[in-house]
Amino acid sequence: MDYAGRLSRLRSAIEGADLDLLLVTHLPNIRYLSGFSGSTAALLVEPHGATLFTDGRYRTQAKQEVKSARIVIGRKSPLVTAAEWLAGRRKGSRGTLARQTSVGIEPESITVGMRDRLAALLKGTARLRSAPPLVERARMVKDADEILRIRRAIELGASLFQVACKTIRPGVSEVEVAAAMEYAARCAGAEGMSFATILAAGPRSAIVHGRASRARIPRRGFVVCDFGVILADYCSDRTRTVHVGQPSREARHLYDAVLEAQLAAIAAVRPGVTASEVDGAARRVLRSRKLARYFTHSTGHGLGLEIHEAPRLAAGQAQKLEPGMVVTIEPGVYVPGKWGVRIEDVVLVTATGCEVLTPADKDLVVIE
Ligand code: ZN
Ligand code: ZN
């Protein structure tokens, strides 16, 4: 991973945002910029260099993982260590500073209490300012190394659908199916699941995020399977909806409508279109089938180090798609108390359109 390149591009963005320094606290951002995978850290990015603050538990790991920043091990929380380190250094050079240093913080990942504490520690030497999401913006466009890792995660994730199809039977509980998938994922080398496996059968398929429960799979009905793995830090995400027992004509129509909406959204993905245009393409199809009111979430999201990243493919999102972005396309229809269908693929925005990274088996699977 090109950590030095990422840091150098971030420095330009920091300058462009009129900040002197950026104190990065969102752990996936720290991982993106330095490779550090521990659970406690802060990363201070300065015009000439970067410093990772963590505690003694991570001394060995930080040394192994971090080559692009100097490492400071503290006894207190990494943010306090960072503030004291910065305040001490600034005090040492006081008098030469024409103005207070402007330190950007990441408002989405810092508590109000910690912000107050930092402000007190830096009083007189630096001023805190909420920074725009500079690292998140950079992370939207994936480089070749990241795309390769995402492809591998998707490949592994795809194999789990076969496990699901073999395990889903009337009378088997949703958690048993999820457990079989998750066991297979771990055996194949996944670090974990990218989120709690969604397995929602029968009327529960109308619950958008129906985590696998102890409910048993009924003799007839849809089963929504939404699952992903983390492999070499990167996430996969895929949804397939199968039908147990022969589907009614109405069930087939519903499935076909969602599939048509999903294909329309995929066809709309290309550089220059806005995220909301892609969302609109899916919604238009469902509107024509009088199903739009049952499509209650956005069409998709970016993914990478996190399962949900920018951009969001939703109404009102003006973000334009660019080559290298990796997003999900996942329209769904949920009729409360009755049933639900969702179909989700991951696509890579290319120079001319997009490449569907998820294997394209989307005919309705019927499990007898
Ligand atoms: Zn999903
Ligand atoms: Zn998703």
Side-chain angles (χ1 to χ4, degrees):
M1 295 285 172
D2 178 23
Y3 300 118
R6 291 174 185 178
L7 281 168
S8 122
R9 286 187 291 278
L10 178 63
R11 286 191 185 101
S12 312
I14 292 170
E15 209 187 315
D18 214 14
L19 293 164
D20 297 312
L21 321 171
L22 182 68
L23 192 52
V24 183
T25 45
H26 186 49
L27 289 169
N29 287 349
I30 292 175
R31 186 177 285 209
Y32 177 78
L33 294 168
S34 73
F36 182 66
S37 68
S39 63
T40 310
L43 181 72
L44 183 68
V45 183
E46 301 182 84
H48 308 286
T51 309
L52 180 94
F53 300 88
T54 183
D55 64 44
R57 293 171 300 164
Y58 290 113
R59 189 184 297 274
T60 308
Q61 186 178 329
K63 241 188 227 164
Q64 282 170 355
E65 292 178 338
V66 180
K67 306 291 176 213
S68 59
R70 80 174 75 86
I71 298 161
V72 173
I73 305 288
R75 288 172 186 274
K76 300 177 184 168
S77 91
L79 264 181
V80 170
T81 305
E84 289 178 350
W85 184 85
L86 195 57
R89 215 183 47 175
R90 294 285 148 180
K91 276 199 184 94
S93 60
R94 190 177 269 178
T96 59
L97 287 175
R99 62 182 179 89
Q100 286 196 11
T101 310
S102 176
V103 179
I105 54 170
E106 298 188 303
E108 305 288 343
S109 64
I110 189 166
T111 63
V112 175
M114 192 47 87
R115 186 188 172 123
D116 290 348
R117 210 161 156 202
L118 280 185
L121 286 166
L122 293 172
K123 199 162 186 255
T125 58
R127 205 162 48 89
L128 297 180
R129 267 185 45 204
S130 287
L134 302 175
V135 189
E136 283 81 356
R137 273 183 212 155
R139 283 173 51 198
M140 276 199 291
V141 176
K142 271 68 182 174
D143 61 31
D145 285 336
E146 294 183 286
I147 291 167
L148 189 66
R149 289 193 186 197
I150 292 170
R151 280 183 197 277
R152 290 200 177 130
I154 287 173
E155 233 167 78
L156 201 173
S159 67
L160 301 185
F161 182 55
Q162 312 310 323
V163 176
C165 288
K166 278 190 199 132
T167 319
I168 290 172
R169 291 290 175 271
V172 173
S173 71
E174 294 171 349
V175 276
E176 283 176 87
V177 180
M181 296 167 75
E182 292 173 10
Y183 181 72
R186 292 289 269 170
C187 289
E191 288 133 43
M193 306 307 284
S194 44
F195 54 90
T197 301
I198 290 171
L199 217 109
R204 288 193 77 247
S205 59
I207 302 170
V208 177
H209 277 173
R211 286 185 181 181
S213 75
R214 298 181 72 178
R216 296 196 177 277
I217 292 166
R219 289 160 60 131
R220 201 157 180 232
F222 284 120
V223 183
V224 172
C225 318
D226 187 351
F227 52 94
V229 299
I230 305 170
L231 183 66
D233 297 344
Y234 281 76
C235 294
S236 77
D237 189 6
R238 178 192 204 194
T239 308
R240 289 291 182 266
T241 302
V242 302
H243 198 279
V244 177
Q246 277 306 316
S248 64
R249 185 180 298 187
E250 193 193 0
R252 279 217 181 263
H253 279 168
L254 182 70
Y255 187 87
D256 290 346
V258 174
L259 182 54
E260 197 188 314
Q262 206 243 2
L263 294 173
I266 290 173
V269 174
R270 62 182 172 278
V273 303
T274 63
S276 76
E277 284 175 276
V278 177
D279 179 77
R283 234 163 270 279
R284 231 180 342 270
V285 171
L286 294 174
R287 200 172 301 125
S288 73
R289 307 291 182 94
K290 305 211 172 351
L291 291 168
R293 71 191 165 108
Y294 300 116
F295 177 22
T296 47
H297 53 77
S298 53
T299 292
H301 54 87
L303 94 168
L305 285 170
E306 289 180 276
I307 183 64
H308 292 123
E309 308 185 350
R312 239 183 96 221
L313 305 186
Q317 294 290 316
Q319 174 68 49
K320 286 202 166 109
L321 298 187
E322 291 171 42
M325 286 182 175
V326 176
V327 295
T328 69
I329 303 289
E330 51 176 310
V333 165
Y334 313 90
V335 183
K338 191 176 177 186
W339 56 19
V341 171
R342 176 165 67 254
I343 302 167
E344 174 182 30
D345 289 329
V346 175
V347 307
L348 165 68
V349 184
T350 61
T352 51
C354 75
E355 180 192 344
V356 180
L357 301 181
T358 311
D361 49 344
K362 288 189 280 198
D363 291 337
L364 179 58
V365 172
V366 175
I367 295 173
E368 290 286 5

